Amino acid sequence: MAMSPKIAVIYYSSTGTVHELAEAVAEGARKEGAEVRLLRVSELAPEEAIAANDAWSAHASVTKDIPVATPADIEWADAVIFGSPTRFGNIASQLKQFIDTLGGLWAQGKLADKVYSGFTATATAHGGQESTLLALYNSVHHFGGIIVTPGYTDPVKFADGNPYGTSHVNGQGALPVDDTARAAAAYQGKRVATVTARFNNA
């Protein structure tokens, strides 16, 4: 009997863009038959910094009930899809801190042979989307993980334009997540679910 893949979508989002992409990724994986956990990583910023930004504060409030990721979620998952905004061409410190807690699993070989993928968002065009995903994938190489990117395997990727993973430019909050980005994110979730199922059922 075919086994449904278990997928953890683990993300950091300050004002909501990456959160919206994460929801679309998760929905795409679910529609492909995957069991999905949508999880956020812990916030590291001080409360006063969050309170000083209305969008950040509002997003923190509406997503407070989303479960916080733990290493146990990684151990549970057959595939992990990470989401992060760009921070100077790299992933956000909040997601990096979570990844840095995985040393125990790494030492036991429990990060290896899983599927990994990533998605991102930037404030500006050419703001580090591809470098952020490539930086994320450096960690996956250390895990011994299997990177599954969307590539140009579906027409939506020629509209989205990023073979490394779904990405969106939010124009400093002026450009909400659009249908193209949502479709690309859903496709990425679907592709990860499909490929992971092939490994599980080989």
Side-chain angles (χ1 to χ4, degrees):
M1 186 172 68
M3 295 172 55
S4 297
K6 296 177 291 186
I7 297 178
V9 180
I10 298 176
Y11 73 94
Y12 174 72
S13 185
S14 55
T15 59
T17 299
V18 174
H19 169 77
E20 288 191 56
L21 294 176
E23 288 187 318
V25 169
E27 184 62 19
R30 287 190 188 103
K31 286 184 176 178
E32 199 61 20
E35 181 182 352
V36 178
R37 293 182 183 178
L38 179 66
L39 306 157
R40 60 187 176 89
V41 297
S42 296
E43 180 60 82
L44 303 178
E47 287 293 334
E48 56 268 24
I50 299 170
N53 182 313
D54 290 342
W56 196 352
S57 179
H59 180 66
S61 178
V62 300
T63 58
K64 66 182 185 299
D65 293 331
I66 292 177
V68 174
T70 69
D73 294 305
I74 301 285
E75 189 170 4
W76 166 85
D78 300 312
V80 182
I81 310 175
F82 288 118
S84 174
T86 290
R87 295 291 185 264
F88 302 115
N90 210 321
I91 62 173
S93 59
Q94 289 87 345
L95 181 60
K96 181 62 165 63
Q97 192 274 340
F98 173 74
I99 289 173
D100 287 347
T101 69
L102 302 178
L105 293 181
W106 170 83
Q108 298 173 69
K110 292 183 177 180
L111 301 181
D113 303 328
K114 295 178 184 287
V115 168
Y116 296 88
S117 197
F119 58 97
T120 189
T122 55
T124 61
H126 312 294
Q129 294 177 347
E130 293 178 356
S131 66
T132 296
L133 294 173
L134 290 170
L136 170 65
Y137 296 153
N138 283 338
S139 295
V140 178
H141 292 306
H142 285 257
F143 297 168
I146 302 160
I147 298 172
V148 174
T149 64
Y152 291 108
T153 57
D154 186 89
V156 71
K157 294 308 298 177
F158 290 92
D160 162 74
N162 189 342
Y164 302 96
T166 302
S167 58
H168 177 69
V169 177
N170 80 349
Q172 302 285 1
L175 302 173
V177 175
D178 58 17
D179 290 344
T180 296
R182 285 193 189 88
Y187 173 70
Q188 185 168 359
K190 174 184 176 180
R191 176 165 163 77
V192 169
T194 300
V195 174
T196 304
R198 288 176 187 164
F199 284 124
N200 284 357
N201 299 301

